[in-house]
Amino acid sequence: MIFPIVAYGDPVLRKVARPIEKDELNLPELVENMYQTMYDSSGIGLAAPQIGQSIRLFVVDGTPLNEDEEEEDKDPSLEGFKKVFINPQVLEETGDEWAFEEGCLSIPGIRADVYRPEFIKIKYRDIDWNEHVDTFEGMAARIIQHEYDHLEGKLFTDYLPMLKRQMLKKRLTDITKGNVKVDYKMRFPK
């Protein structure tokens, strides 16, 4: 089942998501549907708030970023980087901050440079409810940081300078009103 992506302006994107209890949801089905939704939208990450569920869950698959790259240009952090993060908790962010142009399925057509630390250490549960503590770097770390922000009610636009946010205000309002063209299903605030 492919869910509509919740658009910028919906209050669910600004809420701090709640933890998930082990047996409260059909997690395998929800995760599969989230992956289908993410792939249908040509995304590399999707957080539950983006499908209207304020729970601490996100899925990532950064492997497509390496598909068209020459072997020497492939990002090693993305090799096999397809994961489910349940009830994640960032333990540490370290390293130099580096800029990369980010976008978001909930904010279509807008991209901007965001600075994020190079490394992230995170505790989370997988689909089998096993607990992990892992450190990720580079693009994998960035994808996790972006999706984790959704669970904290933050969007990549929050990191932009005030002037840049002011310049984007009309475009963001248009997204909220549904005045945007996308090739995937979206749900707009009422």
Side-chain angles (χ1 to χ4, degrees):
M1 174 185 189
I2 295 173
F3 295 107
I5 302 290
V6 171
Y8 178 88
D10 191 302
V12 74
L13 295 176
R14 293 302 189 175
K15 289 181 183 169
V16 175
R18 68 171 179 76
I20 300 170
E21 298 298 323
K22 183 176 182 183
D23 296 318
E24 83 174 270
L25 300 167
N26 181 345
L27 280 174
E29 181 181 354
L30 178 58
V31 165
E32 180 58 34
N33 291 338
M34 286 180 68
Y35 273 120
Q36 285 181 10
T37 301
M38 181 183 76
Y39 295 138
D40 183 67
S41 314
S42 300
I44 56 174
L46 184 67
Q50 292 181 276
I51 58 165
Q53 298 197 35
S54 189
I55 56 175
R56 299 190 75 76
L57 166 67
F58 63 84
V59 298
V60 298
D61 184 353
T63 59
L65 295 176
N66 273 347
E67 284 177 1
D68 296 328
E69 297 293 330
E70 297 293 328
E71 199 58 42
E72 64 273 4
D73 295 329
K74 290 187 178 189
D75 183 334
S77 76
L78 298 176
E79 291 299 315
F81 183 62
K82 179 180 177 182
K83 289 189 166 297
V84 176
F85 292 80
I86 300 169
N87 294 337
Q89 178 184 0
V90 171
L91 302 176
E92 187 175 44
E93 293 177 297
T94 58
D96 294 333
E97 290 198 353
W98 59 289
F100 188 82
E101 189 179 70
E102 292 188 19
C104 181
L105 297 174
S106 294
I107 311 173
I110 295 179
R111 300 187 65 79
D113 279 349
V114 176
Y115 286 84
R116 295 189 188 270
E118 187 177 4
F119 300 96
I120 184 170
K121 184 176 183 181
I122 189 167
K123 180 168 76 171
Y124 63 97
R125 291 193 179 276
D126 63 23
I127 193 69
D128 297 317
W129 212 254
N130 298 311
E131 188 172 270
H132 301 266
V133 175
D134 292 324
T135 300
F136 297 91
E137 64 179 289
M139 189 58 78
R142 177 172 294 276
I143 295 167
I144 291 167
Q145 290 161 332
H146 179 106
E147 298 309 326
Y148 185 85
D149 277 350
H150 280 296
L151 306 185
E152 296 296 314
K154 294 181 192 170
L155 300 170
F156 84 92
T157 51
D158 297 342
Y159 293 96
L160 304 179
M162 184 61 76
L163 180 60
K164 178 79 170 172
R165 285 195 306 245
Q166 288 297 329
M167 291 169 54
L168 292 172
K169 192 170 187 172
K170 182 187 179 326
R171 289 176 64 196
L172 292 170
T173 300
D174 283 345
I175 292 168
T176 300
K177 292 179 178 178
N179 299 331
V180 64
K181 291 186 192 268
V182 293
D183 57 0
Y184 51 90
K185 293 192 300 186
M186 290 195 78
R187 185 183 94 193
F188 300 96
K190 297 190 172 24

